[in-house]
Amino acid sequence: MANTLYDALFAPLAGRASDLMILPDGRRISGDAFLRLVARQAHSLRAAGLTAGDRIAAQVGKSPEALAAYGAAVALGAVFLPLNPAYTPDEVDYFLGNATPRIFLCDGERAEALAPVAARHGARLITLNADGSGDLRQLSKGQPESIEPAERSPEDLAALLYTSGTTGRSKGAMLSHRNLLSNTEVLADLWRFTDGDVLIHALPIFHTHGLFVASNIVLLTGGAMIFMPGFDPEAILRLMPQATAMMGVPTFYTRLLSDARLTRELTAGMRLFISGSAPLLAETHQEFERRTGHRILERYGMTETNMSTSNPYDGERRAGTVGFPLPGVELRIMADGREAAPGEVGVIEVRGPNVFQGYWQMPEKTAEELRPDGFFITGDLATRDAEGYVHIVGRAKDLVISGGFNVYPKEVELLLDEVPGVLESAVIGVPHPDFGEAVLAVLVPRPGVGLDAQVVLAAVAGRLARFKQPKAAVVVPELPRNTMGKVQKNLLRETYAGWFA
Ligand code: AMP
């Protein structure tokens, strides 16, 4: 029977003796062995009651078994719902209540705390530990090693991915087989992935980047991945000579740059470094090129849209930009109900086979963000330059409106970052009695530098209109970031809400 995603990503692994996964401890898993694991798990999950259309939630550590659970869900036609292991039982309660999965996979260590939560929402709890042990392994023992996949059309749902939800409750983005496969095919082609590639996979697999962009591309193209439980610079530096490509969030690159072992020689066998999920500073891009000779390829996407833009593989990879819309993806930048002129800031809207099907059981939220003509309002502010490169200037909700004027944080942050001694910065709006909101700069000094906030403010004052100038600056050792490397401006706004009170 046809199953869009299974047929493209998993079925071709049958009989494949070459490696699919290389683990940091040296273990290797062939494509065929992985597919047999997927089949055993699928049989055991089916026996536990999972059928086509059911949701299966997984709050588990990253392991080959955890990725196999995604494959097993796809094989059964179920909807895979990965959850960040950092979520607390209260948060999990919300997700299980909203998605009502049939099965909930979780780490054995948390089973006691989460059992009542699963029971409350009618989900069967099955343990899967980070080392692959647990109930699921036991249930899978002796199960058949092949499976006839459930029939699934391109329109059927394959995954439910909750948005990170820094404001309001997180929403479940419904992703169809077509959404996932079309994006994987386009990216694999654009970035020239082949069965000769070995990808350094150090991203979490509860998020689009690691689960869909990284894993799906390798599955589709028949290559291998060095599958790491987390970001471990030691392991990456050690294993890089075996690899050809890496996908990372910007913090991977800044962390690698801080290690003297990152050199041209070490990266000589690499053909591609990709960055996304958060803005890569132009400085990081340039420094990486100086050190390694490689120009990092930056791309842009989100939970609801998979990937939407990418810098070119062959053409100029322009630092500080996210490149062009992907083939098949329409992108427009809207300002005041019309398309923005080149250089003008507006909100990115995208349409294409990559765009999700709506928010799970939230028709009103879906209607707010997904236009009837199929364009999704991303909430990201951007401009397009004369050559068509898209420059992201921040999230619409991070826009500062001071005295009635719009301040785009990125514009101010770029100037602050140029001041000697500043490593990076975050510009936020905080309540102000006169201006409504005032611009506040949060500064991180370079290692070993004693930064004087007033000196930094004076350095940028002459280069910014008065309303854009930060009214105050604070110096902090580091910016709060989530696991995907995104600066959590909502936390900064909370921390400094009373600054001008
Ligand atoms: P998520 O849904 O968690 O993947 O977050 C998606 C958001 O991350 C986007 O809406 C952007 O705000 C941000 N993002 C992703 N990639 C980039 C990038 N290359 N540059 C700037 N922001 C990015």
Side-chain angles (χ1 to χ4, degrees):
M1 262 187 279
N3 176 317
T4 306
L5 208 52
Y6 186 87
D7 296 348
L9 303 188
F10 297 98
L13 297 173
R16 204 186 105 182
S18 60
D19 296 332
L20 172 66
M21 288 181 172
I22 301 164
L23 304 178
D25 63 8
R27 271 185 303 149
R28 288 166 180 262
I29 301 175
S30 71
D32 190 61
F34 183 76
L35 189 65
R36 285 185 278 118
L37 177 62
V38 167
R40 288 198 303 274
Q41 283 193 4
H43 282 286
S44 67
L45 291 170
R46 184 154 66 192
L50 191 68
T51 57
D54 286 342
R55 275 78 56 213
I56 168 170
Q59 192 192 27
V60 295
K62 184 179 171 186
S63 64
E65 288 78 5
L67 191 69
Y70 158 57
V74 172
L76 294 176
V79 182
F80 192 63
L81 190 181
L83 291 170
N84 187 336
Y87 285 137
T88 63
D90 276 354
E91 288 166 321
V92 173
D93 188 79
Y94 167 74
F95 294 116
L96 299 195
N98 188 250
T100 57
R102 173 90 55 190
I103 307 274
F104 174 50
L105 300 177
C106 81
D107 196 290
E109 279 185 8
R110 305 190 58 194
E112 201 182 323
L114 291 167
V117 179
R120 184 155 48 245
H121 301 295
R124 171 160 173 200
L125 185 148
I126 296 177
T127 60
L128 169 56
N129 304 325
D131 66 359
S133 63
D135 299 342
L136 185 60
R137 177 181 283 174
Q138 293 309 321
L139 294 168
S140 303
K141 273 206 178 122
Q143 295 283 1
E145 299 214 308
S146 68
I147 188 154
E148 176 70 17
E151 173 107 37
R152 286 284 99 174
S153 76
E155 282 69 39
D156 284 317
L157 293 190
L160 195 55
L161 225 59
Y162 279 79
T163 58
S164 30
T166 46
T167 50
R169 287 249 93 154
S170 150
K171 298 166 287 209
M174 299 188 283
L175 296 160
S176 68
H177 282 240
R178 189 201 308 279
N179 290 150
L180 300 182
L181 183 58
S182 65
N183 211 236
T184 306
E185 286 174 339
V186 165
L187 295 174
D189 185 50
L190 193 74
W191 296 338
R192 312 272 170 87
F193 274 86
T194 70
D195 58 5
D197 273 306
V198 178
L199 178 77
I200 297 179
H201 191 314
L203 293 159
I205 55 168
F206 55 77
H207 184 267
T208 319
H209 197 166
L211 183 60
F212 300 138
V213 184
S215 310
N216 281 0
I217 286 181
V218 173
L219 288 165
L220 182 78
T221 53
M225 47 193 158
I226 302 179
F227 204 67
M228 304 185 172
F231 176 71
D232 174 356
E234 283 299 321
I236 290 180
L237 292 167
R238 177 167 57 82
L239 295 167
M240 197 166 288
Q242 296 180 36
T244 63
M246 184 172 103
M247 292 182 192
V249 296
T251 39
F252 284 19
Y253 293 103
T254 50
R255 295 269 302 277
L256 289 174
L257 278 169
S258 69
D259 195 301
R261 288 170 294 176
L262 182 82
T263 59
R264 207 170 269 265
E265 294 67 46
L266 185 83
T267 58
M270 295 287 286
R271 67 168 187 89
L272 185 58
F273 289 92
I274 298 174
S275 176
S277 292
L280 181 79
L281 292 179
E283 186 190 313
T284 310
H285 180 106
Q286 284 143 8
E287 175 152 9
F288 200 83
E289 185 178 10
R290 269 196 301 278
R291 283 273 289 284
T292 67
H294 291 279
R295 291 177 71 85
I296 299 172
L297 185 153
E298 184 169 7
R299 94 302 178 277
Y300 153 75
M302 64 196 299
T303 302
E304 291 92 330
T305 63
N306 299 283
M307 298 306 105
S308 292
T309 75
S310 171
N311 268 280
Y313 189 84
D314 285 326
E316 185 197 347
R317 300 177 194 166
R318 196 169 281 189
T321 84
V322 295
F324 308 107
L326 297 176
V329 175
E330 293 169 81
L331 181 147
R332 64 188 188 196
I333 298 179
M334 300 298 287
D336 303 326
R338 54 165 178 83
E339 286 220 34
E344 187 186 3
V345 174
V347 176
I348 297 180
E349 298 190 5
V350 291
R351 178 165 74 178
N354 56 320
V355 174
F356 76 137
Q357 307 300 301
Y359 295 114
W360 177 258
Q361 293 188 331
M362 292 186 186
E364 56 312 317
K365 291 277 176 209
T366 303
E368 276 169 29
E369 293 175 34
L370 201 54
R371 295 190 189 280
D373 65 2
F375 272 95
F376 173 65
I377 307 167
T378 65
D380 286 311
L381 295 168
T383 62
R384 228 189 305 221
D385 64 24
E387 284 83 43
Y389 286 84
V390 175
H391 300 235
I392 298 193
V393 298
R395 297 282 301 159
K397 64 177 170 24
D398 294 330
L399 176 75
V400 186
I401 305 181
S402 189
F405 294 107
N406 288 354
V407 182
Y408 300 106
K410 185 74 179 262
E411 183 188 353
V412 185
E413 289 162 4
L414 287 174
L415 291 179
L416 291 167
D417 293 350
E418 284 177 19
V419 178
V422 175
L423 180 66
E424 59 174 353
S425 60
V427 161
I428 54 168
V430 293
H432 187 282
D434 294 336
F435 302 107
E437 271 188 317
V439 179
L440 180 84
V442 183
L443 307 170
V444 179
R446 290 188 179 278
V449 174
L451 207 56
D452 182 335
Q454 292 315 313
V455 172
V456 177
L457 292 184
V460 297
R463 303 177 68 190
L464 286 168
R466 202 170 189 86
F467 70 93
K468 296 181 191 171
Q469 294 173 12
K471 300 266 176 302
V474 291
V475 178
V476 299
E478 61 181 9
L479 298 175
R481 284 195 151 85
N482 71 8
T483 8
M484 300 310 293
K486 287 189 226 296
V487 176
Q488 294 170 300
K489 289 198 166 175
N490 54 322
L491 294 184
L492 291 175
R493 281 192 289 264
E494 277 168 30
T495 308
Y496 299 108
W499 195 266
F500 297 105

